[in-house]
Amino acid sequence: MKRQMFLPMLGDCPYFCFAESAGWYSGEGRHRAVRSSGEMNKLFNLHLVISGKGYVEWNGKLFCLGEGDAFLYFPGQEQHYYSSEEEPWEIRWVHFYGKGLAAFMTELGFHRTPIWTLKRRGRLEQDLHRLLMELEEYRLLRPAVISEKTYRIITGFTVLAEPLGNKKNQGRAGLITSLLPELESCSHRTFILEEWADKAGLSVYYFCRLFKKITGMTPLEFVTLCRLQSAKQLLLERPELHVAEIARSSGYNSASYFNSKFLESEGMTPTDYRKLMALKGR
């Protein structure tokens, strides 16, 4: 059983990232792909294993992938992967491209290997499903939405992915990734770095260093993004709330400081953002 959608590539793509295709395969025991170097010279290829198992050949080695594992090929890389016939994998996948993506993904270290694993795959699985539904229903009619959903997939993957088979790194990364949902839900509270380092059982120095390596940002930068995301939701969903109330609910005691952080992030004030989104009907 399979579902898949393909879009024509935008000649001069104005977006940081954009999906060329997405799909879902289940029970396809003969699913196999063999691509020579340079064959997909513009597209990233990301697959997430939902269940079952399959295999990826890389640098003369054979890797067995199961539930929660994933592989990511850079544009132009040689590709060889296939499902187990005895235990066919269920996978969700996306091919994507964009300006500056290769440099971005390389800086995060994802050029080192195509083989990864995710301790929690729920968010990425949902985001891949939502992208496929978007392509099936609207095709190219809502390009900004496609770009947004593609970006969620990329960021979700880069935050949660760990090199497959590196038990030492997996254990250390797990200390951080297991705390991310709690840190997000508590972002409106006063952020005390020492408390979160203690929760991970690490020194403040090593906690910050490992957090930056895994997420690409400092703990405070992550908390700030969570607070701004919460504020954006409240600005749209609670029009009766004043900006000062939203600032406090999001973790900012100072409305002026909240305004400056929002302006720095979004290029507009919270009030202007609310007005703009209201005009767009979002």
Side-chain angles (χ1 to χ4, degrees), residues 97 142 204:
Y97 60 101
R142 306 200 302 180
V204 170

Side-chain angles (χ1 to χ4, degrees), residues 119 162-163 165-175 206 210:
K119 285 188 175 294
E162 307 164 2
N166 192 335
K167 301 299 183 183
K168 185 177 180 181
N169 283 347
Q170 288 180 20
R172 290 173 175 174
L175 294 172
Y206 193 59
L210 192 57

Side-chain angles (χ1 to χ4, degrees), residues 7-20 42-43 96-101 140 143-144 146-148 150:
L7 300 176
M9 291 186 64
L10 303 180
D12 187 16
C13 181
Y15 301 100
F16 173 71
C17 56
F18 205 79
E20 181 268 348
K42 294 183 179 180
L43 296 174
F96 58 92
Y97 60 101
K99 294 182 178 179
L101 265 183
L140 265 175
I146 294 173
S147 179
E148 177 188 357
T150 306

Side-chain angles (χ1 to χ4, degrees), residues 59-239:
N59 283 344
K61 296 180 180 180
L62 182 65
F63 297 85
C64 179
L65 276 62
E67 178 181 346
D69 296 333
F71 56 91
L72 171 73
Y73 287 109
F74 272 55
Q77 285 186 322
E78 181 179 347
Q79 304 180 14
H80 189 182
Y81 55 90
Y82 50 94
S83 172
S84 163
E85 293 190 14
E86 296 78 18
E87 300 177 55
W89 60 14
E90 177 186 353
I91 54 171
R92 291 192 179 276
W93 58 269
V94 59
H95 295 168
F96 58 92
Y97 60 101
K99 294 182 178 179
L101 265 183
F104 173 75
M105 300 298 284
T106 298
E107 185 176 352
L108 294 178
F110 284 93
H111 63 294
R112 296 171 296 170
T113 172
I115 319 298
W116 303 86
T117 190
L118 293 88
K119 285 188 175 294
R120 298 187 310 279
R121 62 173 172 82
R123 170 186 163 181
L124 183 59
E125 180 181 351
Q126 291 172 4
D127 288 341
L128 286 163
H129 176 65
R130 292 184 180 118
L131 174 63
L132 178 59
M133 292 180 64
E134 173 70 25
L135 300 189
E136 287 177 336
E137 184 171 357
Y138 295 102
R139 293 175 171 78
L140 265 175
L141 294 180
R142 306 200 302 180
V145 176
I146 294 173
S147 179
E148 177 188 357
K149 293 183 182 298
T150 306
Y151 183 73
R152 277 188 60 90
I153 290 169
I154 295 170
T155 55
F157 175 75
T158 56
V159 166
L160 296 175
E162 307 164 2
L164 181 67
N166 192 335
K167 301 299 183 183
K168 185 177 180 181
N169 283 347
Q170 288 180 20
R172 290 173 175 174
L175 294 172
I176 303 300
T177 56
S178 63
L179 286 176
L180 292 179
E182 183 181 359
L183 184 55
E184 181 179 7
S185 66
C186 296
S187 61
H188 62 286
R189 301 175 185 172
T190 301
F191 176 69
I192 302 175
L193 178 60
E194 291 78 8
E195 290 184 0
W196 291 97
D198 285 343
K199 284 178 180 284
L202 300 170
S203 68
V204 170
Y205 169 78
Y206 193 59
F207 176 76
C208 292
R209 181 180 177 185
L210 192 57
F211 197 102
K212 175 77 171 180
K213 181 178 181 181
I214 293 167
T215 67
M217 63 188 85
T218 68
L220 184 57
E221 287 171 341
F222 178 81
V223 169
T224 298
L225 286 179
C226 293
R227 287 174 174 175
L228 291 173
Q229 176 61 39
S230 174
K232 289 171 74 174
Q233 290 293 120
L234 290 173
L235 284 166
L236 301 183
E237 297 173 0
R238 300 289 302 277

Side-chain angles (χ1 to χ4, degrees), residues 188-189 242-255 258:
H188 62 286
R189 301 175 185 172
H242 294 296
V243 169
E245 295 176 282
I246 290 175
R248 287 192 296 271
S249 296
S250 303
Y252 293 97
N253 293 325
S254 167
F258 167 65

